[in-house]
C-alpha cells in the first residue's frame, strides 16, 4: 500500500520518483519505447509467467507511466493507480471491468455527456440498465438498488449543474449491499476531495482537466484497491488498449507539481466571479458549491476543501441570448474542457451535453440558458470585466 510522504503539496512533487535511480535526473525521464528486451529466452518466459518483475511491452507497463500511477495513488490515498489515454478510456475500462450483460447501474443524475453515451451504448448492446437518481437521501438510494445492481456511479460536483452528492452517505448504503462506488473526481482533484477516504471504492479522473492543467494533453487515471486495479490493468486496459503515451504521462507529472497552487488560484478567482455575478441584473441563477447560499454548501464543507474552479449560471433570456453572450466575449475562449490556465466558457445544452435527449437534459437541470464557466488563472478583474461587458449586451 502506498503511504503519503509529507504534505499533499510535497507529495505532488516527489511521490513515486527518486532521481537516484535515474542517473540523478531531476525530472523523470521519458521512456519513449514500445517494447523491452529480454536477456534470454528464459527471462522472457519468466516475465510472461509473472515470476520476475520487469517490463515487457509498453501497453502492459512503462516506467514513466508507472511514476505517474504511483504518484496519483498516494495523492488519492489509494492502494494503486492506473493511467489511461483519456478520461473516457478510464471510465469505460473501469465500468466494463465491474459489469456484465443484464447488470444494473445506479448513477447520479447529471453526468459527463460521453459517460452518458457509454451507458446508453451498454444498455443497447448488453441490456445493462442505468437509473439516474438525485442521490440526496439514503432512502432514495436504497430504493434504486436491485439484486443485479453492480455499480453505483457518482459525479460530484455534477457536471454542469454543480450539485453535490454526499459521498459518505452513498458509501454507507453501498456497504450494506456490497456494491462498489465509483466516483468521477475530475472537477475536484484529490487536492479538494478524496473519495476513497470517505469510503468509496474507485476514483476516476479525466486528467485532461485540472491534473494536466495546461490544455495540452488528453489522459485519464483510476485509483482503487490493488486487486481491482490489477484486474483492470490485465483485462480492460490491456485488451481494450486505452493506454497513455509516456510523453503524456510526463506532461501530467509536470502538471501535478503545481496542482495545489493552481487550484487555490482557480478557487480564489471563482469566488470573486460568483460575488460579481450575483449582483448582475442579467443573471437568473448561479450554481457554485463554494457559495454559502448554495443548497449543497453543507456537503461541500463536509467533503471538499473548497468549491473548485467551475461555475455554472443561468442568464435571463433564451438560447439565442446565451449564444450572444459567448459571441460578445473579448479574450475569454469559447471551448469545452476545463481546468486550464485560460478561462473557458461553453453552452452545455448545445455542446458537452447535446447528446443527452432534451427531455432528460431538462430533468438534469441543463436548460438552454445555462452557461458553464471554467475560471482560469488570469487576473479575476480581467475575467470579470470581459464577462460583464458581454452580459451587458444580451
Ligand atoms: C472531460 C471529462 C471526462 C472525459 O475525459 P476525457 O479526458 O475527455 O476523455 C469525464 N468526466 C468528466 C467529469 C469530465 O469533465
Amino acid at each position: 500500500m502506498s503511504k503519503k510522504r509529507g504534505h499533499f503539496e510535497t507529495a505532488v512533487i516527489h511521490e513515486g520518483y527518486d532521481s537516484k535511480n535515474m542517473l540523478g535526473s531531476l525530472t523523470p525521464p521519458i521512456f519513449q519505447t514500445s517494447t523491452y528486451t529480454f536477456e534470454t529466452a528464459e527471462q522472457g518466459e519468466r516475465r510472461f509467467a509473472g515470476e520476475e518483475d520487469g517490463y515487457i511491452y509498453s501497453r502492459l507497463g512503462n516506467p514513466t507511466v508507472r511514476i505517474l500511477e504511483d504518484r496519483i495513488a498516494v495523492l488519492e490515498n489509494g492502494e494503486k493507480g492506473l493511467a489511461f489515454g483519456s478520461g473516457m478510456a478510464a471510465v469505460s475500462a473501469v465500468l466494463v471491468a465491474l459489469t456484465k450483460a443484464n447488470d444494473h447501474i445506479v448513477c447520479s443524475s447529471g453526468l459527463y455527456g460521453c459517460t452518458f453515451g457509454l451507458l446508453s451504448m451498454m444498455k443497447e448492446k448488453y441490456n445493462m440498465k442505468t437509473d439516474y437518481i438525485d442521490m440526496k437521501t439514503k432512502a432514495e438510494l436504497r430504493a434504486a438498488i436491485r439484486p443485479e445492481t453492480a455499480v453505483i456511479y457518482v459525479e460530484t460536483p455534477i457536471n454542469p449543474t454543480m450539485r453535490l452528492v454526499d459521498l459518505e452517505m452513498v458509501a454507507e448504503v453501498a456497504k450494506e449491499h456490497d456494491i462498489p462506488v465509483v466516483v468521477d473526481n475530475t472537477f475536484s482533484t484529490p487536492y479538494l476531495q478524496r473519495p476513497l477516504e470517505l469510503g468509496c471504492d474507485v476514483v476516476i479522473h479525466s486528467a485532461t482537466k485540472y491534473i494536466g492543467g495546461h490544455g495540452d494533453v488528453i489522459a485519464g487515471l483510476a485509483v482503487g484497491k490493488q486487486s481491482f486495479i490489477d484486474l483492470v490493468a490485465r483485462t480492460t486496459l490491456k485488451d481494450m488498449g486505452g493506454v497513455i503515451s509516456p510523453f503524456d504521462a510526463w506532461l501530467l507529472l509536470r502538471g501535478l507539481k503545481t496542482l495545489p497552487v493552481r487550484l487555490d488560484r482557480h478557487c480564489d478567482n471563482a469566488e470573486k466571479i460568483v460575488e460579481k455575478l450575483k449582483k448582475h441584473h442579467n443573471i437568473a441563477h448561479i450554481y457554485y458549491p463554494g457559495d454559502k447560499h448554495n443548497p449543497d454548501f453543507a456537503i461541500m464543507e463536509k467533503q471538499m476543501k473548497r468549491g473548485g474552479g467551475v461555475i455554472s449560471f443561468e442568464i435571463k433570456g433564451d438560447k439565442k441570448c446565451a449564444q450572444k453572450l459567448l459571441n460578445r466575449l473579448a479574450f475569454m475562449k469559447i471551448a469545452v474542457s476545463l481546468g486550464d490556465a485560460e478561462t473557458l466558457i461553453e453552452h452545455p445544452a448545445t455542446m458537452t451535453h447535446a447528446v443527452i435527449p432534451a427531455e432528460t437534459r431538462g430533468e438534469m437541470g441543463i436548460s438552454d440558458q445555462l452557461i458553464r464557466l471554467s475560471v482560469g488563472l488570469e487576473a479575476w478583474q480581467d475575467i470579470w470585466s470581459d464577462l460583464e461587458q458581454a452580459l451587458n449586451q444580451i
Side-chain angles (χ1 to χ4, degrees):
M1 193 190 294
S2 32
K3 227 177 156 292
K4 197 176 290 180
R5 186 202 296 156
H7 292 87
F8 190 90
E9 291 79 356
T10 309
V12 290
I13 297 171
H14 292 285
E15 270 305 329
Y17 182 63
D18 190 343
S19 57
K20 273 209 298 291
N21 305 329
M22 299 290 179
L23 304 172
S25 176
L26 176 68
T27 58
I30 303 170
F31 283 81
Q32 193 70 33
T33 185
S34 58
T35 197
Y36 304 82
T37 58
F38 308 131
E39 281 173 31
T40 61
E42 288 76 11
Q43 184 180 46
E45 183 182 10
R46 287 195 302 276
R47 293 259 173 104
F48 270 88
E51 292 160 12
E52 179 186 297
D53 279 346
Y55 293 96
I56 295 175
Y57 184 68
S58 275
R59 182 155 39 74
L60 317 182
N62 173 283
T64 312
V65 174
R66 185 65 50 81
I67 298 164
L68 170 67
E69 292 171 339
D70 290 348
R71 190 167 295 174
I72 192 67
V74 172
L75 298 179
E76 285 287 5
N77 210 358
E79 289 181 13
K80 197 162 178 189
L82 200 59
F84 300 82
S86 71
M88 285 316 302
V91 173
S92 54
V94 165
L95 283 180
V96 171
L98 285 172
T99 56
K100 58 183 189 325
N102 305 314
D103 274 350
H104 174 248
I105 297 175
V106 179
C107 190
S108 55
S109 170
L111 193 61
Y112 183 69
C114 298
T115 306
F116 184 85
L118 173 73
L119 292 170
S120 307
M121 183 169 73
M122 286 165 79
K123 181 176 174 197
E124 249 171 60
K125 285 182 175 290
Y126 310 117
N127 190 38
M128 201 179 294
K129 305 210 174 70
T130 303
D131 277 323
Y132 297 93
I133 65 167
D134 284 340
M135 250 183 234
K136 281 297 180 203
T137 65
K138 283 188 171 181
E140 184 203 12
L141 183 52
R142 283 191 191 112
I145 291 171
R146 306 183 198 166
E148 67 273 22
T149 303
V151 183
I152 298 174
Y153 190 93
V154 188
E155 259 183 46
T156 179
I158 293 175
N159 176 25
T161 51
M162 304 306 290
R163 277 173 312 182
L164 303 186
V165 173
D166 182 336
L167 291 174
E168 220 162 26
M169 179 277 284
V170 173
E172 277 171 29
V173 175
K175 291 253 149 39
E176 294 166 5
H177 299 81
D178 205 19
I179 299 169
V181 180
V182 178
V183 181
D184 182 332
N185 203 27
T186 299
F187 273 52
S188 301
T189 83
Y191 181 59
L192 299 181
Q193 171 173 281
R194 288 188 286 280
L196 302 180
E197 291 178 357
L198 301 168
C200 301
D201 301 280
V202 184
V203 166
I204 292 175
H205 285 283
S206 168
T208 310
K209 316 293 166 56
Y210 288 103
I211 289 181
H214 293 74
D216 49 15
V217 59
I218 299 275
L221 295 163
V223 185
K225 289 227 163 55
Q226 166 126 24
S227 55
F228 176 68
I229 296 296
D230 281 344
L231 172 77
V232 174
R234 64 169 194 273
T235 58
T236 49
L237 173 57
K238 175 172 80 65
D239 298 337
M240 299 202 296
V243 291
I244 190 171
S245 80
F247 179 62
D248 287 352
W250 184 87
L251 283 173
L252 295 185
L253 284 167
R254 186 165 77 158
L256 271 175
K257 290 185 189 184
T258 55
L259 180 73
V261 180
R262 286 186 286 109
L263 263 174
D264 276 337
R265 174 65 75 89
H266 282 299
C267 292
D268 288 345
N269 282 357
E271 287 167 10
K272 295 276 194 206
I273 299 300
V274 165
E275 288 314 310
K276 291 290 184 185
L277 280 172
K278 274 185 181 171
K279 297 186 193 114
H280 199 281
H281 58 276
N282 280 337
I283 296 295
H285 214 95
I286 300 169
Y287 303 93
Y288 182 65
D291 176 17
K292 270 200 235 8
H293 303 292
N294 185 293
D296 290 335
F297 186 72
I299 303 176
M300 195 289 295
E301 283 202 300
K302 199 173 117 180
Q303 68 190 25
M304 294 173 74
K305 189 181 166 87
R306 298 180 69 178
V310 178
I311 304 165
S312 289
F313 56 87
E314 270 174 346
I315 53 158
K316 289 182 185 156
D318 54 10
K319 174 177 152 187
K320 278 229 150 44
C321 297
Q323 292 182 322
K324 197 165 167 189
L325 168 67
L326 267 55
N327 291 333
R328 294 295 156 91
L329 291 162
F331 85 86
M332 222 180 264
K333 306 291 184 240
I334 307 172
V336 299
S337 199
L338 53 110
D340 294 332
E342 296 81 359
T343 295
L344 303 179
I345 194 162
E346 68 118 356
H347 185 236
T350 59
M351 296 178 187
T352 45
H353 294 70
V355 296
I356 301 172
E359 198 190 304
T360 315
R361 240 181 8 238
E363 288 162 13
M364 290 176 169
I366 306 168
S367 69
D368 284 351
Q369 301 90 267
L370 188 74
I371 305 277
R372 189 184 77 186
L373 182 71
S374 168
V375 181
L377 301 176
E378 304 97 337
W380 70 265
Q381 294 91 337
D382 294 333
I383 299 170
W384 174 244
S385 69
D386 197 13
L387 196 54
E388 185 181 34
Q389 62 81 22
L391 276 168
N392 288 341
Q393 295 183 58
I394 58 174

